[in-house]
Amino acid sequence: MKKILKTPKKTKCAKGYFKREKWVYIFLVIFMFVIVGKLFSLQVVQASDLKAVGIERRTQDQSIQPERGKILDAQGNVLAQSIPAKEVYAAPRTLDALIEKGQDYDKRKIANQLADILKMDSTTILEKLNKDLDWVSLAHQVDLNQVEQIQALSIPGVGFNNEQKRVYPMDTFASSVLGIVDLEGHGREGVEAYYDDKLYGTPGYTSQQQDSGLNSVLKTQHDSGTSQKGANLTLTIDSTIQYLVEQQIDDLEKTTKANRISILAMDPMTGKVLGMGSRPSFNPNEYNNTEPENRKNLSTTMSHEPGSTFKIITGTAALEEGVITPKDEFEDPGYYKVGSRVITNWDSDQQVHGWLNFTDAMKLSDNVVLSQVGNKLGIPSFYTYLKAFGFGSKTGIDIAGEESGLLVPQDKARPIDLATMSFGQANLVTPIQLLTAISAIANGGTLYKPYVVDKIEYADGTVEQKSPTAVRQVISEATAQQMNEILEKVVSEGTGRLAQIPGIRVAGKTGTAQKVDAKTGGYSTTDFIASFVAFAPIDDPKIAVLITIDTPRGESHQGGTLGAPRAKAIIEGALQYYGIPVANETESVVTNLTDQTFVRPTPQSVTPVRQPLAGETIVPDLTGLTLRQAGDKLAEAELHFSFTGTGLAQTQTPAPGQVVNKGSTVTIKFSPLTVPNKAVQEESSP
């Protein structure tokens, strides 16, 4: 019997299996399209964006610090400039990872290698390399030759950032004027801070791709912005006059052992600051090793009771108001009573001045008379002139950190306050305030805003020339002339005799102020502030000088004894530098002997001992030159000088033809032109 084969019927279970299989295929197809789509999106649509993200993640961006502008003196000598340098950093975790992978790196050995090059303590560097950090700074402002030595070591994770190193070729010279620059390249004190926005420039940016070990990938550095150099500043400070200031302030510091000393020199006709020095001082190249207190510019920050130099202000105000004349008589019995208080003179224990006129009172620096003058002037008028001369507010000088001094509030001023303020007690002033005010009297009555920057030269070649700024006319020219003639007599006949310069009309005033005793609150009998102010020539003043000495120690604490000779030296040297002869009313010996009896010595050409190397220069012959001529010739050779005497250059050290480093100091001895014996005999023979 034949079997009939039948196709089995599909069961419900089989149908479910094929249905699920269909959905798996559909899912796989969809998943494939998603993957392909995603790949298409990543590889095509988002390719450029993702490439940029990848580059960004492995790229280190650095700010390019711009070259900071130079600071020059009035002669063009460089006082401050910036040179390229580097910050050295390390990546400790990167170094740790390489060591864990078995690579042959020894942190102690690396620390020793870096310490030898950077002149640092290897322990300090090792401590930084052992930190669990991605990045740590090892040293700032590293010289480029040291950087090359470190690069040659090929230490992984050690890299460099661009920096600028600020250098001051003349070290402490005018340091309180210049100020300092921090590690980020910004000014923090002095002119550097005040003009930081001009000096700093515009930063640029650079990018560098790195591998996983933070090593730079060659040929991947790109500049994304060029930095722009900062502006150059030319100061009103003249190195020749500044040297005169520094010379005298060093001598005062040595001989008086004073706590603080300020010397300030100004052109009274314009407000230009010609020289400015402070002691204590500091080297801005090593400012981290100094205390902030020692970096203060005392000419703008030393608030103090000025003492008798302030009598100039009181007397000028009284003359202007017409309450006194130079010949008005005052009685001085040795004391002046104001209520229950008694005012005496600095020499009341030695003599009683009796009746004397105002001019003689100024010559003798008489407190009793000036108290009476202040009383005649009255509190309202006294304060009007205080404010008109600029006391109680900042002068606006372009140096960071200026203080405003402090006045007794007018509504709280008593008769005794008026009396003591009249001869320089009670109120606090700064040297720059006082000399600015006295310069207004010297120039005929105009108060000028003091300034230290003469011009700004920008990177694009444009020049911003500064000009004198007249603040206000404080007094009449006639009143100024009256006071100037009185101050001339203070020098020629009074307490300022040590400031006399033959042939030059010098005006001046001494000051000796008692300091407040911090323990008792009263005035000290042992601590003083000695001061002296002078300007010359009276008929056309070229320079005004204020010397302030805080707590001198020694035989004298008088401003006339300590300050007047120093002011004389600075003014005399400056006038010679300006070509203004001293003793110009005396017949010149040189003029009388221009025949064959005498030949003025002249500089000779020199043969250098050897050819100068980079950074060196040849010392020129200065024989027979005046102070100004010698200064100009040395400036051309990029040299500085110190000197003694007056007249023409006779000897010098180093000798002509020697090769020295640029910026070195040549010591010159000046002496008057002498007449040969033969010439003298001929002139005196019958």
Side-chain angles (χ1 to χ4, degrees):
M1 190 170 154
K2 196 175 180 178
K3 292 184 178 179
I4 299 174
L5 296 176
K6 295 183 178 179
T7 303
K9 293 182 180 180
K10 291 182 179 180
T11 64
K12 186 183 273 189
C13 181
K15 289 181 180 179
Y17 171 79
F18 287 114
K19 188 175 182 180
R20 286 195 302 272
E21 184 179 17
K22 178 179 71 175
W23 285 111
V24 169
Y25 285 119
I26 292 173
F27 174 77
L28 291 174
V29 170
I30 294 172
F31 182 73
M32 182 183 67
F33 276 108
V34 170
I35 295 297
V36 171
K38 187 64 176 178
L39 290 173
F40 180 80
S41 175
L42 293 174
Q43 295 293 328
V44 180
V45 179
Q46 302 181 49
S48 59
D49 293 337
L50 293 174
K51 182 179 180 181
V53 171
I55 293 175
E56 181 180 357
R57 289 181 177 178
R58 66 175 182 269
T59 298
Q60 181 188 37
D61 292 326
Q62 295 181 5
S63 172
I64 303 175
Q65 192 177 107
E67 181 183 351
R68 192 173 178 86
K70 296 179 181 179
I71 301 179
L72 314 170
D73 83 326
Q75 298 179 7
N77 298 311
V78 176
L79 301 179
Q81 64 182 350
S82 293
I83 59 175
K86 297 281 187 179
E87 175 194 20
V88 181
Y89 65 84
R93 287 178 179 168
T94 299
L95 194 56
D96 289 339
L98 294 174
I99 293 173
E100 289 176 3
K101 292 179 180 179
Q103 295 196 27
D104 187 20
Y105 292 110
D106 184 342
K107 285 187 177 182
R108 186 174 297 278
K109 180 181 178 182
I110 291 172
N112 289 333
Q113 290 174 320
L114 293 175
D116 288 342
I117 297 172
L118 297 173
K119 309 302 180 186
M120 293 175 60
D121 181 12
S122 61
T123 303
T124 302
I125 296 178
L126 183 60
E127 288 176 355
K128 293 184 177 183
L129 293 178
N130 285 329
K131 290 184 177 181
D132 186 23
L133 296 172
D134 289 324
W135 182 95
V136 63
S137 178
L138 299 180
H140 285 278
Q141 297 185 344
V142 177
D143 292 337
L144 298 184
N145 62 336
Q146 293 173 295
V147 170
E148 290 179 358
Q149 295 176 56
I150 295 173
Q151 287 176 324
L153 298 176
S154 300
I155 302 172
V158 172
F160 311 94
N161 287 326
N162 292 322
E163 289 184 332
Q164 292 284 325
K165 183 179 182 179
R166 198 64 164 171
V167 294
Y168 300 84
M170 299 175 71
D171 294 333
T172 61
F173 193 80
S175 58
S176 61
V177 179
L178 299 172
I180 61 174
V181 173
D182 63 19
L183 294 177
E184 295 178 352
H186 288 289
R188 287 292 174 258
E189 294 171 10
V191 169
E192 296 275 26
Y194 192 94
Y195 285 97
D196 187 61
D197 59 333
K198 309 287 187 183
L199 289 163
Y200 185 71
T202 304
Y205 299 91
T206 185
S207 59
Q208 177 76 50
Q209 293 187 42
Q210 297 178 319
D211 60 21
S212 59
L214 292 184
N215 296 304
S216 297
V217 179
L218 297 178
K219 299 181 181 181
T220 60
Q221 181 168 325
H222 303 283
D223 292 332
S224 55
T226 304
S227 63
Q228 183 174 340
K229 183 181 181 295
N232 293 335
L233 304 183
T234 298
L235 303 185
T236 60
I237 299 289
D238 188 301
S239 283
T240 299
I241 296 176
Q242 181 66 26
Y243 179 79
L244 294 170
V245 169
E246 301 272 359
Q247 189 179 48
Q248 295 304 316
I249 205 169
D250 282 339
D251 185 57
L252 277 171
E253 184 180 39
K254 184 186 302 182
T255 57
T256 67
K257 310 298 182 185
N259 292 348
R260 301 180 296 174
I261 307 172
S262 163
I263 297 184
L264 177 61
M266 182 185 292
D267 178 354
M269 306 300 291
T270 62
K272 283 185 178 181
V273 175
L274 304 174
M276 182 182 277
S278 299
R279 294 295 182 274
S281 186
F282 72 102
N283 185 344
N285 292 306
E286 302 171 353
Y287 73 87
N288 282 325
N289 299 327
T290 62
E291 295 295 329
E293 191 70 19
N294 292 341
R295 299 201 301 264
K296 281 190 173 183
N297 185 324
L298 298 180
S299 294
T300 62
T301 64
M302 186 168 67
S303 295
H304 66 288
E305 295 184 13
S308 294
T309 51
F310 199 80
K311 292 172 181 174
I312 300 173
I313 306 301
T314 303
T316 300
L319 290 170
E320 180 72 7
E321 285 297 293
V323 298
I324 65 165
T325 69
K327 295 183 178 180
D328 278 0
E329 295 282 328
F330 296 86
E331 183 182 11
D332 176 9
Y335 63 90
Y336 181 65
K337 291 193 68 175
V338 183
S340 61
R341 299 279 296 277
V342 177
I343 292 170
T344 60
N345 291 317
W346 61 277
D347 60 350
S348 288
D349 59 337
Q350 303 170 28
Q351 61 180 325
V352 174
H353 295 156
W355 284 92
L356 69 169
N357 63 36
F358 175 70
T359 299
D360 289 336
M362 289 290 287
K363 286 161 52 177
L364 295 172
S365 198
D366 193 301
N367 294 345
V368 170
V369 171
L370 265 294
S371 296
Q372 296 176 56
V373 171
N375 185 54
K376 281 177 171 288
L377 189 59
I379 289 177
S381 293
F382 184 80
Y383 272 85
T384 296
Y385 284 94
L386 280 183
K387 294 174 183 177
F389 275 113
F391 296 106
S393 59
K394 296 178 181 180
T395 65
I397 188 171
D398 45 348
I399 298 177
E402 182 189 9
E403 295 183 5
S404 59
L406 185 64
L407 301 181
V408 175
Q410 183 175 346
D411 59 354
K412 295 182 179 179
R414 304 162 297 166
I416 185 61
D417 295 320
L418 176 61
T420 56
M421 287 188 293
S422 297
F423 58 83
Q425 288 186 348
N427 289 325
L428 302 181
V429 306
T430 62
I432 190 66
Q433 286 177 325
L434 186 57
L435 191 58
T436 299
I438 293 173
S439 291
I441 299 166
N443 69 34
T446 303
L447 185 75
Y448 281 95
K449 179 181 177 180
Y451 63 106
V452 296
V453 170
D454 184 56
K455 65 180 177 180
I456 305 173
E457 299 178 78
Y458 296 94
D460 61 3
T462 59
V463 177
E464 180 184 343
Q465 181 68 53
K466 301 287 185 178
S467 58
T469 302
V471 179
R472 66 181 71 89
Q473 186 77 20
V474 183
I475 57 172
S476 67
E477 189 173 343
T479 297
Q481 184 176 351
Q482 283 183 315
M483 180 52 70
N484 291 344
E485 290 173 354
I486 291 171
L487 296 177
E488 181 183 13
K489 291 185 177 179
V490 172
V491 173
S492 62
E493 305 171 14
T495 55
R497 286 188 179 91
L498 294 178
Q500 293 177 12
I501 301 174
I504 299 294
R505 297 177 64 195
V506 180
K509 183 70 188 76
T510 57
T512 307
Q514 293 172 285
K515 292 183 66 175
V516 174
D517 190 319
K519 294 181 180 179
T520 65
Y523 284 102
S524 172
T525 58
T526 58
D527 293 345
F528 300 86
I529 291 183
S531 60
F532 188 81
V533 64
F535 54 88
I538 286 180
D539 49 353
D540 184 19
K542 301 297 184 185
I543 183 171
V545 175
L546 174 62
I547 297 175
T548 310
I549 310 162
D550 179 8
T551 321
R553 305 294 182 191
E555 295 181 0
S556 176
H557 58 258
Q558 301 292 333
T561 304
L562 299 177
R566 273 74 182 191
K568 172 189 175 179
I570 295 170
I571 292 173
E572 189 173 22
L575 294 182
Q576 288 188 4
Y577 172 59
Y578 290 146
I580 300 173
V582 299
N584 55 9
E585 295 175 356
T586 304
E587 192 173 9
S588 172
V589 176
V590 181
T591 304
N592 292 337
L593 301 174
T594 54
D595 299 331
Q596 299 177 351
T597 58
F598 184 73
V599 178
R600 171 178 167 173
T602 57
Q604 304 297 312
S605 59
V606 298
T607 301
V609 296
R610 61 176 174 81
Q611 287 301 311
L613 303 175
E616 294 182 329
T617 187
I618 302 168
V619 178
D621 184 11
L622 307 172
T623 305
L625 298 184
T626 64
L627 180 67
R628 185 185 187 102
Q629 291 170 335
D632 289 344
K633 194 160 189 176
L634 289 172
E636 292 175 1
E638 299 183 63
L639 294 170
H640 307 292
F641 70 96
S642 63
F643 72 94
T644 58
T646 61
L648 303 179
Q650 299 296 321
T651 61
Q652 66 181 82
T653 305
Q658 293 295 314
V659 176
V660 298
N661 291 328
K662 292 180 179 179
S664 298
T665 298
V666 177
T667 302
I668 313 169
K669 181 181 179 181
F670 291 88
S671 60
L673 198 59
T674 56
V675 183
N677 290 334
K678 178 182 177 182
V680 173
Q681 292 170 358
E682 289 175 352
E683 289 290 319
S684 60
S685 61

